[in-house]
Amino acid sequence: MNHPIIHIQVSKRIQAATSSFLLNLNEKIPSRKFIILTGPSGSGKSTLLKLIAGLDQPDTGYIHFEQTIWTDRNYHQFLPIRKRKIGMVFQDYALFPNMTVKEHLLFGPRLKKLNPFLEEILDVLELEDFVNRYPINLSGGQQQRVALGRALSNQPNMLLLDEALSALDTVLRKKISSFLVEFQKKYEVSIIFVSHQIDEILEIADWVCLLENGKLVQSGPPHLIPLHKINTLASKATLLKRHSRDDGSEHLTILVEGKSYHLEVPSKDLK
């Protein structure tokens, strides 16, 4: 049986401050996987997420999610955002100033009180002590966690996360990213996560898409993406050691911004 896919064939002219460029993609990527989208600033990552979400439309082309047409400019088809069952976190967070943390989490699933799933989200995001606070009384990192909690609360079919952990410290970032990996596997949700962190790219991604100047220059499992490509486009990293194991996996030791990371690259996608 073929694995379900997301088929993106779109063209979109993007106007930057002093110039413009063409976002031009024709790619099939696996759905129900943890996908990391990376690349230089201004390469079209946020625009691509907005096209998938239905917040913007391509000039030409289509987006198919598994067996459902979400957007098709050729046949004038467009599935409304509310029917796509997407959770989103963009860089502006888009919190409602008149709603508390608790009310934000209840908003998506239309609940009147917290259930065990929402209580788990509050615990993982370390927001239990702030449930009655409004956004104005929260730090930037806390606001980002509220936006993520709201996106998770409705147990969506797809999560679109535009640097959704960027305002967090390393310890909390790793805790939440581990929870997202578990969440993805448990509910088989498709996650597209914009990140520039080399450790996230190699540790938590099932699939990596490298975007540059509006084009997808690499797409595949993280251990099949040349490390120098990830370094060039995503983050400044130095490979210190690479050791192949008998089971086909690899152990990498890399240096990123003065910190060393030990990464295990599994062999499962090589079979």
Side-chain angles (χ1 to χ4, degrees):
M1 186 177 70
N2 293 330
H3 193 282
I5 63 167
I6 307 164
H7 192 183
I8 302 171
Q9 183 177 318
V10 296
S11 179
K12 174 79 174 179
R13 176 64 60 179
I14 299 175
Q15 187 66 47
T18 57
S19 62
S20 67
F21 67 94
L22 188 66
L23 179 67
N24 192 17
L25 305 174
N26 183 6
E27 192 69 25
K28 294 179 180 179
I29 57 178
S31 65
R32 308 183 199 181
K33 296 290 185 181
F34 203 121
I35 299 160
I36 285 189
L37 178 63
T38 191
S41 297
S43 57
K45 300 184 298 296
S46 295
T47 298
L48 176 57
L49 292 192
K50 290 177 181 178
L51 292 176
I52 294 171
L55 296 172
D56 198 357
Q57 293 200 47
D59 299 329
T60 61
Y62 56 80
I63 297 172
H64 295 176
F65 178 71
E66 299 184 357
Q67 302 301 315
T68 305
I69 297 173
W70 279 5
T71 298
D72 193 324
R73 293 304 296 261
N74 300 325
Y75 294 96
H76 307 288
Q77 292 180 280
F78 181 79
L79 187 69
I81 300 172
R82 67 182 182 278
K83 293 185 177 181
R84 300 187 187 199
K85 202 177 180 186
I86 289 177
M88 300 174 280
V89 180
F90 288 97
Q91 294 182 32
D92 61 357
Y93 308 153
L95 299 181
F96 300 110
N98 62 331
M99 290 172 58
T100 64
V101 171
K102 179 180 177 181
E103 288 169 338
H104 274 92
L105 265 65
L106 295 174
F107 179 77
R110 300 292 194 270
L111 296 175
K112 295 187 181 298
K113 63 180 182 179
L114 297 174
N115 60 22
F117 176 68
L118 296 183
E119 289 173 350
E120 181 186 8
I121 289 176
L122 285 172
D123 177 56
V124 171
L125 300 181
E126 299 187 5
L127 291 170
E128 313 101 303
D129 296 334
F130 309 103
V131 289
N132 294 316
R133 289 195 188 181
Y134 292 93
I136 196 172
N137 302 122
L138 300 172
S139 68
Q142 290 163 350
Q143 290 182 23
Q144 190 174 56
R145 280 178 274 156
V146 174
L148 178 57
R150 181 180 60 187
L152 289 164
S153 66
N154 208 29
Q155 295 181 238
N157 292 329
M158 177 181 282
L159 266 176
L160 301 176
L161 307 176
D162 195 352
E163 299 191 59
L165 306 181
S166 61
L168 309 182
D169 62 65
T170 302
V171 174
L172 188 54
R173 186 183 184 106
K174 285 186 175 294
K175 175 184 176 183
I176 295 174
S177 63
S178 295
F179 171 76
L180 288 174
V181 170
E182 293 174 6
F183 178 83
Q184 187 281 317
K185 294 185 185 307
K186 181 176 181 179
Y187 296 103
E188 292 191 320
V189 60
S190 300
I191 297 181
I192 302 180
F193 181 32
V194 174
S195 175
H196 298 277
Q197 299 294 319
I198 191 81
D199 55 324
E200 288 177 342
I201 293 169
L202 294 177
E203 284 184 328
I204 69 176
D206 296 312
W207 197 269
V208 179
C209 296
L210 295 170
L211 198 63
E212 184 177 23
N213 296 324
K215 295 179 175 59
L216 207 56
V217 296
Q218 294 282 332
S219 179
H223 59 278
L224 296 182
I225 303 290
L227 190 63
H228 73 275
K229 273 288 188 184
I230 295 176
N231 297 348
T232 301
L233 297 180
S235 180
K236 296 185 181 300
T238 302
L239 178 63
L240 300 179
K241 186 186 294 184
R242 187 173 208 151
H243 176 67
S244 297
R245 301 189 185 279
D246 292 340
D247 64 359
S249 65
E250 290 188 331
H251 180 84
L252 305 180
T253 304
I254 62 173
L255 187 69
V256 183
E257 297 179 350
K259 295 180 181 178
S260 118
Y261 294 91
H262 301 280
L263 309 175
E264 296 292 337
V265 181
S267 60
K268 64 181 187 301
D269 292 307
L270 294 173
K271 296 179 180 177

